[in-house]
Amino acid sequence: MCPLRLIPKIFLFDEEELAPEVRAQRVLNKARIPALASYIVSNPTDYVFSALTASVDGEMRFVGIADEGPGMRIGQLHIPMAARFLINDGQHRRAAIEAALTGNPELGDETIAVVFFHDAGLSRSQQMFADLNRHAVRPARSIGVLYDHRDERAKAARLLALKSPIFRNFVEMESSTLSARSRKLFTLSALYYASSSLLQGLELSDADEAASLADEYWTAVDALIPEWDLVRTRKMTAAEVRKQYLHSHGIALHALGLARQHSSADIHRTRFVETPVEAIGQNRLVPNQPRLGGPSNRRWPRLQEPL
């Protein structure tokens, strides 16, 4: 384990001006650093970072706590401070740690795991970078929302998906895409973004209040979209609705959430009223034709001025 205060000092990163073929890392994306640093500073006792991976251009000597048995694999690694350390994986974490230490020097006594390799030259370092990132797959946004217990918006989205009569049993909780035959109407990530847009700028006490307020809005929307109820009552399949209409797609949900921001109404003191919105309810298979299952001037909810 390496103290955080040593990370910026021994792990240097100054390859931005080099051509890609003569460096062993991608260029640092500085736009990512503030969010990572804020994550560390905001969660000083329970932040989680994976180990850094580095190559050492210098002599390394390992001294085990025993001469035989399992103790041979546990001990101290001695590296001269004159050695050169090259980060093979974790340059953004390294930069975020440096930024976080500027904001909170007390984090310097925290530690992070580091995996060391002996530096066998540029080609080997480039191959290590390729190997470490070859099979890296970013998890779907939906499962990130499902497992995120820090974000109040994620908590509200989970409450809606699990408890709201509108969404319960019809939200895909893990994947951010739906297969053609999926029985789900929505994805958790789409519900998250739509509800986040709906509630943006409101002062809410907790996730329960946010979910309750959002559920009131989506209930008003649901009353004006008969196809959602047809799916719940098994008179239409989710696949048919997704194929023929736009209203269950993430972009449409997001648009409905954003609509609240364009109203001057106080959401806490309003009732939902019906206002015609052209084309949103149109059958996506036949442009400019009446919807399947309803007239083309389907009415949609919009916030009215405070009562």
Side-chain angles (χ1 to χ4, degrees), residues 25-257:
Q25 263 287 3
R26 55 189 162 190
V27 173
L28 189 71
N29 182 356
K30 295 181 180 180
R32 294 180 55 192
I33 308 307
L36 287 171
S38 176
Y39 164 69
I40 301 173
V41 174
S42 300
N43 304 281
T45 61
D46 59 352
Y47 69 90
V48 179
F49 267 174
S50 57
L52 304 178
T53 302
S55 296
V56 181
D57 183 10
E59 294 294 329
M60 294 190 294
R61 181 170 58 90
F62 179 76
V63 180
I65 62 175
D67 295 330
E68 58 183 15
M72 296 177 61
R73 298 179 176 273
I74 304 174
Q76 293 182 326
L77 180 65
H78 296 262
I79 304 174
M81 291 304 294
R84 180 172 178 268
F85 296 83
L86 171 68
I87 292 184
N88 300 106
D89 183 57
Q91 79 272 28
H92 290 93
R93 276 163 279 160
R94 175 244 177 251
I97 289 170
E98 182 176 17
L101 289 173
T102 301
N104 184 3
E106 295 181 0
L107 290 168
D109 292 328
E110 292 287 315
T111 59
I112 188 172
V114 182
V115 180
F116 289 106
F117 291 87
H118 185 265
D119 190 349
L122 178 62
S123 295
R124 173 57 180 161
S125 293
Q126 290 177 335
Q127 188 61 57
M128 288 176 61
F129 175 83
D131 291 345
L132 287 167
N133 292 278
R134 184 186 306 275
H135 301 295
V137 178
R138 186 174 183 175
R141 182 56 179 151
S142 284
I143 198 169
V145 172
L146 180 63
Y147 292 165
D148 190 345
H149 297 277
R150 300 185 196 276
D151 188 347
E152 291 296 317
R153 297 172 301 174
K155 294 179 183 178
R158 288 197 302 273
L159 287 172
L160 283 172
L162 296 173
K163 296 184 177 182
S164 170
I166 308 301
F167 299 109
R168 188 172 58 240
N169 299 324
F170 292 96
V171 176
E172 169 55 53
M173 306 294 282
E174 184 170 353
S175 175
S176 293
T177 59
L178 296 173
S179 66
R181 297 183 179 181
S182 174
R183 296 181 179 180
K184 308 295 186 181
L185 265 178
F186 319 94
T187 65
L188 183 59
S189 59
L191 182 58
Y192 168 82
Y193 287 119
S195 296
S196 296
S197 297
L198 169 67
L199 301 172
Q200 185 175 344
L202 301 178
E203 294 184 3
L204 303 171
S205 59
D206 53 29
D208 289 327
E209 182 184 4
S212 177
L213 196 60
D215 186 46
E216 181 183 348
Y217 182 82
W218 294 121
T219 298
V221 172
D222 176 76
L224 304 171
I225 306 179
E227 291 78 22
W228 290 5
D229 183 63
L230 292 176
V231 173
R232 291 196 297 271
T233 56
R234 302 183 184 278
K235 296 178 181 179
M236 286 188 73
T237 67
E240 289 173 336
V241 171
R242 294 197 311 273
K243 184 177 181 180
Q244 297 178 25
Y245 302 98
L246 294 175
H247 46 54
S248 65
H249 290 245
I251 190 171
L253 287 180
H254 196 184
L256 286 168

